[in-house]
Amino acid sequence: MYLLLFWFATVGHGQTTNYALKFIPTFNNQPLQLYKAYYLPNINDSITIEGLRFYVSGVKLLKGVKVVHELVNGYYLVDATIPETQSLELDLPKPFIFDQIQLHIGIDSITNVSGAMGGALDPMNGMYWAWQSGFINFKLEGTSPVCNSRNHKFQYHIGGYMPPFNALQTVTFSCTNDGDLTVYIALDKILGSLDLKLEPEIMSPSAKAISLSTIIKQNFTTNIQP
Amino acid sequence: MKKLWLILFGLGLLSFTVSKGFKLAYPSYFPKPVYDFKKNPLTQQKIDLGRVLFYDPILSKDNSISCASCHSPYNAFAHVDHDLSHGINDQIGTRNAPALINLAWQSEFMWDGAINHLDMQALAPISHPKEMDEDIANVVSKLRQIPMYRGLFFDAFADSTITGAQTLKALSQFQLTFISANAKYDSVMRKESVFTEQEANGYHLFKQHCNSCHTEPLFSTYEFTDNGLNIDSTLNDLGRVVISHNPLDSFKFKVPTLRNAAYSFPYMHDGRFAKLSQVVTHYTSLTFCNQKDKRLQQPIILTQNEKVDLVAFLLTLSDKSFVFNPNYSYPKEILARWRRD
């Protein structure tokens, strides 16, 4: 029994190809520093980011339009406060030739109705709505003096899986299969698109959540834009 | 280190062999359950853990409220004599605590269907500021400090880490055993007894006027519908529309089962009716309103005697063996075992 287990472990290892998918949140094209006061032009005031967490799932490797590999049951919770979570080591069963990587920002609707799951999906991670079932796909929190809210906080908890408010977004990146892929998340652009003063909170499935999810998607890029 | 790993692995195997699958018994005239047991296979150990959790106020912020506080087994897991339930610090909520019966046949929970899976249901009362006002992550950290729970989780999951998912799955397992299928109605279906003349007449009237929403054998279709109740202006509860954002879902609430209705008073989403006879009178005195369910557009006309007969039939849905099932009661024998160890 134990020998068999050992055999699986070694054989599995020999064939695995490691490929890393990295996520770097940025502000003004520089890696984000949590709790640092940044200047944001559209509000003409400062802003401080205290937390950023989002789910990555449904990772697919594509060659042209063909899916060459899919990471089934791969759910990752990226957390800006935990550097290890910002690099996803994809354990590929064998080397693949691919030129694009596709992924979901969030959790698909089937997983949303599948009951309690552990690991990244455990509701104790604080990425699940208790009052109305559903995962929070993307959570961005912090403060700005302009926010008309308690303690000048802003809280954007974006989720929802039921039509018409399905906030799941899918992004596709061109890449090469011989180097890791780094995805930058331009938080200055995401926050710059929001009305921080009058709408410092979006925390339920809604049209506003959908429109913010689209802006979030547009700001997941593989190149730092000047 | 390697040795320790082998010992732990061995213990894991041992406990897997001890955990025997638990088979739920339900009548042949019941449909297939909708709960996916493959994702959460029942075992006696997990059911026992769920039972201990269900009765433990540790799930609430100040350790004062348990699931059983509002879902008592002696009332078919409803909150007897409370139109609206009170939670932490005696705060009153906005809805009547529903009876917990035959949950394996339901896929949407709460009066408005806010919850999409039995596993996730417990999160709502745990985190509601007027119910338990707690957080699942904090519940887990409290449980981790208690040796009995480390032991119960180890017995159940071959792992004493304790996670939120395990806590929720164990609570589901206990609640999945809440099967009520042993009322007089069931014995008549199984041809072990017969209805009285009054009950038989009530059953006839039931099939004519009630069965399209409270459909046998579960006595509900579990749909969301508007049964013509006037809105209570002290609550202004709009029902399912708040969840679905579909204006057609205004004033819609889940059709509750009629099983054990006599044990689970008061009735309706806001507990406005204390007696079954008042519920029957509601349906016989509906005025025209095109918003309500199509099945209620035709007036229901019943004589005084027919109303009595209908209630007599509803009483045949009372399942004594369900409400007094010792396997559902406070888990004193499980707790005693852990105190002794």
Side-chain angles (χ1 to χ4, degrees), chain A residues 2 112 115-116 122 124 130 133 161, chain B residues 9 114-116 119 127 164-165 169:
Chain A
Y2 299 112
N112 260 288
D122 197 304
M124 64 190 277
S133 295
Y161 67 93
Chain B
F9 188 71
I115 307 299
N116 66 24
D119 293 356
S127 60
K169 279 178 182 283

Side-chain angles (χ1 to χ4, degrees), chain A residues 15 25 35 45 69 93 98 101 103 117 135 159 172-173 175 207 210 216 224:
Chain A
Q15 288 184 351
Y35 296 98
D45 213 324
H69 185 63
F98 56 96
I101 291 185
L103 53 90
M117 284 160 283
F135 285 96
T172 309
F173 304 108
C175 63
I210 300 292
I216 290 166
I224 291 197

Side-chain angles (χ1 to χ4, degrees), chain A residues 143-156:
Chain A
T143 59
S144 169
V146 302
C147 295
N148 278 338
S149 56
R150 189 173 158 264
N151 297 331
H152 303 294
K153 270 189 175 184
F154 63 83
Q155 300 179 79
Y156 298 107

Side-chain angles (χ1 to χ4, degrees), chain B residues 275-330:
Chain B
K275 291 178 176 162
L276 284 171
S277 59
Q278 291 172 298
V279 175
V280 173
T281 300
H282 164 72
Y283 288 110
T284 55
S285 51
L286 280 175
T287 48
F288 180 78
C289 158
N290 58 10
Q291 239 179 342
K292 65 178 190 270
D293 194 287
K294 279 198 295 289
R295 290 162 287 194
L296 291 171
Q297 297 295 350
Q298 292 297 322
I300 299 171
I301 299 159
L302 297 175
T303 66
Q304 206 50 42
N305 282 344
E306 284 174 329
K307 286 185 187 179
V308 173
D309 292 355
L310 182 55
V311 171
F313 166 70
L314 294 177
L315 297 182
T316 72
L317 302 176
S318 296
D319 181 350
K320 225 178 202 164
S321 71
F322 179 74
V323 293
F324 296 111
N325 187 334
N327 296 325
Y328 301 155
S329 63
Y330 184 78

Side-chain angles (χ1 to χ4, degrees), chain B residues 118-139:
Chain B
L118 181 60
D119 293 356
M120 300 327 226
Q121 195 282 331
L123 289 172
I126 287 171
S127 60
H128 196 292
K130 288 185 172 180
E131 295 183 40
M132 291 168 162
D133 196 23
E134 187 48 290
D135 173 85
I136 185 71
N138 203 42
V139 167

Side-chain angles (χ1 to χ4, degrees), chain B residues 249-266:
Chain B
D249 285 339
S250 301
F251 314 112
K252 287 188 180 177
F253 295 90
K254 187 158 86 165
V255 177
T257 179
L258 299 181
R259 285 185 172 271
N260 298 302
Y263 292 119
S264 60
F265 61 95

